[in-house]
Amino acid sequence: MARPFYVTTPIYYVNDRPHIGHAYSTVAADVASRYQRLRGKPTYFLTGLDEHGLKIERRAKEEGLAPRDFVDRMAAPFRLAWEELGCAHDGFIRTTSPQHRENVQALWKLMAARGDIYLDDYEDWYCVGCESFKTEKELLEGNLCPIHQKPVERIKERSYFFRLSKYTQPLLEYYEAHPDFVRPEARFNEVKSFVKEGLRDLSISRTSFRWGVPVPDDPEHVVYVWLDALMNYVSALGGPAEEGEAPLYDEFWKSSETIIHIVGKDILRFHTIYWPAFLMSAGIRLPTQIWAHGWLTVNGEKMSKSLGNFLPPGPLVEAVGADVLRYYFMREVGFGQDGDFSHRNLLNRYNGELANGLGNLMNRIVASILKKSLDGRVPQVEVAQLDPADQQLIDKAKAASADAAKHLEALAFHRALDTIWELVSAANKYVDSTEPWRLAKQDDKTRLQQVCYTVLETLRWLSIMLFPVMPEKCNELRAQLGMPPLLPTEQVDLWPSVWGGLRPGTQTQSATPLFPRFDEAQERSMLERLGVEAPNTKQKKAAAMTETEEVKDEFVEFDDFMKVDLRVAVVKEAEKVEKSKKLIRLIVDAGEAEPRQILAGIAEHYNPEDLIGRRVVIVANLKPRKLMGLESQGMVLAASDESGLSVLGVDKDVEPGSPAK
Ligand code: ME8
């Protein structure tokens, strides 16, 4: 019997509208929950809003509104954003709801009953942006918060404290006993080192403002906003509660097999230290995993209002559709790593992988050959007629299904998509090599039928494997295959494992292409509509600047350095370029769907064969250029001195595509 699965996003501050950073976390949680539902697990997906605290109170004031009116107004754009993005949450919690207020007070009482709360005087630095105290050591020069780069405030007041120090050892023991508690592993190590230094007690109430949950029996104080916020994960299910009082809490918290909090790396400590300590104190079970994903920049720059690149998801959904944006989020950035949202890459992936890859596979068979030569019906086939090429594709589909499942279980969404895309490429190659358009000209249609069936059944498998990421497109794809939409049902595992589910005789429906290709003019107008400068304009501006401005100093800004996409790649093929003394043509795996070709001027220093299998460091976002008639898609880094050239490498077998910084 499949046991319950509970996944959450952070609850977002309503001081501003949703942007693609929020959308990224929410889509990830939606994909994880849709996958588990497909497997038949009872699943609950929670998101919501963090509506209390000084930051919100001040923001409401700026808008000339009472906090209550302000938060009510801000809730709508978040709900709308998740609806537009196809994020099918089961629960949406707002921390200003009366039920949540009661649950926070209940948690407080449990912690107090343990003797873990005391009253004391307090003086420290506070960052309103983080809603968090800062130690002197953490601050930048001029008393700036290292995250918000704004001055922190000195706070001196009487406050309740939580005995966090008492939980240093229990937390370390818990981490030791639960090696999967924090992901990625590197983040877990950060947390452990921090806790090993010893924890200080935590101030958990405030008296200088009112916008929060009153402390039980002392309403002069409001509960610290992070204690209030973290509690949302339990409170949304109706807990803490006695057995039988809150069915959702019983099912998805108390007896859940998996409880995963997906968060950004910015709020790691709150989730991996404070939250488990609060729960230990209250005698409530702990979540199974905290998954801290990386940070997105936008077109190479930090997202910020002042730079004007604060990107709401709505216009992007309008431009390319929800599923394409979801696909891009999950495909572009390794989950757990930092990454960049680039409009250009979005369009490149759309045309290269969705239109030319999956869409093309669909069109070549369903809209073309099947329709013309087999009345658009799924053909009858005999297993005995299987050709080795057919069997190879079937084996590939089975391997992809097993691997993708493993990766989706582990929230390695990018890896799951890599695997699935290998299947899409293999299926397109199968069509190239079996040449169904030639088979269609033969009188005996047996082989044509076999080839079409193999591709159609592969498409059926793909319609399930891609469903968590692109639910709408997958149902469209299924409609074209003559299949009903997927309807996940508890305790029924729909993940593909048995070949041959597509029934012969089914009438397919060739409709409009799933992913129509964008031509250059469409791309240009889309970028313009989205307020992204077309590359030509940008280049012209840059050229004009170098003509008129002197170079001011010899340093580059950190942000400029971060624009260079350095990655580890494995050399798959290497050969000398004909008629060139210097160039070697390399085919490298940089962790992408397709290997890329790079021309390197190292032929006088290396034998091509010696490079095969080596891990090198490449500049992955260098503009492609032609050398000796061949396109070079990047650059291999090498150091040089009088003795010659030495290609840069790494001293461990890191995954191809890993960023180098
Ligand atoms: O921290 N890249 O809320 P918040 C990737 N209310 N993810 C990003 C991002 C970016 N550039 N910007 C934001 C809070 N995020 C608290 C949480 S939970 C009990 C309370 C995502 O509105 C990421 O998930 O500042 C990050 O952790 C979250 O939004 C922060 O949202």
Side-chain angles (χ1 to χ4, degrees):
M1 178 135 147
R3 292 197 34 219
F5 176 88
Y6 180 34
V7 62
T8 66
T9 71
I11 50 170
Y12 307 111
Y13 287 127
V14 289
N15 60 319
D16 246 314
R17 290 170 170 263
H19 57 62
I20 57 153
H22 304 129
Y24 181 63
S25 313
T26 313
V27 166
D30 186 64
V31 173
S33 70
R34 282 180 188 270
Y35 167 72
Q36 296 295 349
R37 267 187 240 281
L38 271 187
R39 304 306 312 253
K41 282 201 187 166
T43 298
Y44 199 89
F45 162 26
L46 176 73
T47 187
L49 300 174
D50 193 349
E51 302 188 335
H52 283 137
L54 188 54
K55 174 152 74 175
I56 310 290
E57 193 184 75
R58 284 191 183 163
R59 190 74 179 86
K61 204 165 178 191
E62 277 168 30
E63 293 289 313
L65 290 171
R68 175 86 250 171
D69 295 335
F70 175 70
V71 298
D72 283 347
R73 192 174 77 178
M74 293 305 286
F78 281 89
R79 283 187 188 275
L80 179 68
W82 308 153
E83 194 182 320
E84 284 178 342
L85 266 167
C87 294
H89 47 77
D90 301 284
F92 188 92
I93 185 165
R94 295 181 55 190
T95 53
T96 49
S97 72
Q99 186 208 354
H100 179 70
R101 175 192 174 115
E102 276 174 29
N103 292 332
V104 170
Q105 291 179 331
L107 175 73
W108 181 286
K109 285 182 191 158
L110 287 170
M111 289 161 51
R114 238 331 141 85
D116 284 344
I117 295 180
Y118 62 92
L119 197 59
D120 205 351
D121 287 321
Y122 195 61
E123 183 170 359
D124 214 338
W125 298 105
Y126 192 80
C127 169
V128 181
C130 296
E131 292 282 15
S132 170
F133 289 99
K134 302 276 162 186
T135 57
E136 297 261 344
K137 221 166 73 184
E138 285 173 288
L139 299 181
L140 303 179
E141 217 179 286
N143 285 345
L144 301 185
C145 160
I147 294 168
H148 291 89
Q149 316 267 332
K150 287 196 182 141
V152 290
E153 298 176 21
R154 193 76 185 158
I155 301 226
K156 190 175 173 192
E157 58 190 49
R158 206 159 166 70
S159 117
Y160 283 97
F161 279 79
F162 171 65
R163 293 189 200 281
L164 184 61
S165 56
K166 174 178 150 187
Y167 289 91
T168 305
Q169 204 47 39
L171 280 171
L172 289 172
E173 281 162 21
Y174 188 83
Y175 299 154
E176 196 61 36
H178 298 84
D180 295 334
F181 185 56
V182 181
R183 279 289 166 273
E185 204 167 352
R187 299 258 167 251
F188 201 4
N189 294 336
E190 270 173 37
V191 171
K192 285 186 213 162
S193 325
F194 183 81
V195 177
K196 274 184 196 147
E197 299 272 299
L199 298 168
R200 292 193 310 166
D201 287 353
L202 180 71
S203 160
I204 51 165
S205 77
R206 302 290 305 276
T207 50
S208 54
F209 68 93
R210 307 284 348 123
W211 188 236
V213 175
V215 165
D217 307 323
D218 195 352
E220 283 299 294
H221 291 252
V222 294
V223 175
Y224 173 43
V225 65
W226 268 101
L227 172 54
D228 169 350
L230 287 160
M231 185 53 189
N232 90 86
Y233 302 127
V234 162
S235 158
L237 301 174
E242 293 302 322
E243 193 75 34
E245 280 176 5
L248 284 176
Y249 178 61
D250 289 345
E251 182 175 11
F252 291 102
W253 196 272
K254 281 185 157 174
S255 37
S256 205
E257 181 176 36
T258 316
I259 301 173
I260 301 185
H261 298 317
I262 291 180
V263 298
K265 65 176 186 182
D266 57 324
I267 52 177
L268 186 68
R269 281 188 198 169
F270 299 100
H271 284 82
T272 55
I273 301 173
Y274 297 178
W275 180 226
F278 295 157
L279 290 171
M280 281 178 180
S281 166
I284 298 175
R285 81 165 267 195
L286 270 53
T288 40
Q289 197 167 63
I290 314 296
W291 228 111
H293 66 64
W295 214 241
L296 290 186
T297 48
V298 172
N299 297 319
E301 283 167 338
K302 196 174 158 205
M303 213 181 344
S304 85
K305 278 211 170 140
S306 48
L307 285 175
N309 62 355
F310 193 86
L311 215 60
L316 289 162
V317 171
E318 206 175 296
V320 295
D323 281 8
V324 174
L325 186 58
R326 292 165 62 100
Y327 171 77
Y328 177 73
F329 278 149
M330 297 294 97
R331 180 86 165 121
E332 176 73 13
V333 185
F335 202 61
Q337 292 171 5
D338 291 341
D340 186 43
F341 180 97
S342 137
H343 291 81
R344 264 279 139 218
N345 285 351
L346 169 66
L347 296 178
N348 288 347
R349 285 204 185 269
Y350 177 85
N351 274 338
E353 293 164 12
L354 295 174
N356 291 352
L358 181 60
N360 193 29
L361 182 65
M362 186 78 196
N363 288 348
R364 291 165 97 184
I365 298 298
V366 180
S368 175
I369 311 253
L370 198 72
K371 196 166 164 191
K372 282 188 211 140
S373 307
L374 296 171
D375 285 341
R377 284 182 189 281
V378 175
Q380 185 80 43
V381 285
E382 300 296 332
V383 179
Q385 294 160 351
L386 281 184
D387 200 269
D390 309 342
Q391 192 57 52
Q392 241 176 22
L393 188 60
I394 298 171
D395 291 345
K396 183 96 197 165
K398 289 190 175 162
S401 161
D403 284 352
K406 196 179 70 196
H407 294 316
L408 286 168
E409 288 291 345
L411 269 60
F413 307 109
H414 58 298
R415 294 235 165 88
L417 287 172
D418 282 350
T419 308
I420 296 172
W421 241 260
E422 278 174 23
L423 177 60
V424 172
S425 305
N428 267 319
K429 279 193 193 124
Y430 170 84
V431 176
D432 294 342
S433 65
T434 51
E435 302 183 310
W437 48 91
R438 197 176 47 74
L439 299 173
K441 292 191 190 128
Q442 296 173 358
D443 292 337
D444 181 356
K445 297 278 185 283
T446 320
R447 183 71 195 126
L448 175 69
Q449 289 175 334
Q450 184 64 54
V451 166
C452 286
Y453 188 87
T454 309
V455 177
L456 292 170
E457 177 66 358
T458 304
L459 282 164
R460 183 184 75 85
W461 279 46
L462 287 167
S463 79
I464 307 170
M465 286 155 67
L466 285 169
F467 183 80
V469 178
M470 296 191 282
E472 266 188 40
K473 289 287 179 190
C474 285
N475 277 339
E476 277 176 41
L477 194 163
R478 293 173 67 81
Q480 296 198 20
L481 292 178
M483 302 280 300
L486 274 177
L487 277 183
T489 312
E490 272 185 25
Q491 305 305 339
V492 180
D493 187 355
L494 295 177
W495 198 248
S497 61
V498 182
W499 190 259
L502 199 55
R503 277 227 215 96
T506 306
Q507 183 66 52
T508 64
Q509 314 284 336
S510 62
T512 45
L514 276 182
F515 302 103
R517 230 190 118 77
F518 298 142
D519 62 26
E520 249 184 67
Q522 281 170 313
E523 284 192 4
R524 217 174 310 120
S525 78
M526 199 179 285
L527 291 176
E528 262 167 35
R529 263 205 321 274
L530 291 169
V532 186
E533 280 181 304
N536 289 346
T537 345
K538 235 185 181 170
Q539 278 156 14
K540 273 186 212 147
K541 263 196 196 163
M545 270 177 52
T546 41
E547 274 162 30
T548 53
E549 285 189 5
E550 283 175 25
V551 179
K552 297 237 167 49
D553 62 43
E554 47 201 87
F555 294 108
V556 290
E557 291 294 336
F558 182 71
D559 283 350
D560 287 334
F561 166 66
M562 291 305 285
K563 284 184 201 156
V564 183
D565 185 357
L566 294 174
R567 286 196 217 166
V568 174
V570 178
V571 178
K572 295 285 176 196
E573 292 171 36
E575 61 178 24
K576 278 206 71 178
V577 173
E578 247 185 75
K579 295 192 193 130
S580 165
K581 243 174 48 193
K582 289 195 173 159
L583 289 180
I584 292 186
R585 186 178 83 90
L586 301 168
I587 300 292
V588 301
D589 172 6
E592 296 154 319
E594 299 288 345
R596 39 164 107 197
Q597 168 171 290
I598 298 184
L599 300 173
I602 52 176
E604 288 164 307
H605 310 272
Y606 285 91
N607 281 327
E609 308 79 88
D610 296 342
L611 294 166
I612 296 174
R614 279 185 59 163
R615 282 175 159 69
V616 297
V617 180
I618 66 164
V619 181
N621 59 347
L622 197 65
K623 197 171 173 205
R625 61 184 188 135
K626 282 213 161 154
L627 297 166
M628 307 286 290
L630 296 167
E631 187 178 79
S632 182
Q633 299 152 340
M635 182 170 133
V636 171
L637 296 186
S640 65
D641 63 11
E642 297 95 342
S643 64
L645 272 181
S646 170
V647 168
L648 260 59
V650 282
D651 64 359
K652 284 198 194 102
D653 279 354
V654 292
E655 285 284 321
S658 304
K661 282 176 195 152

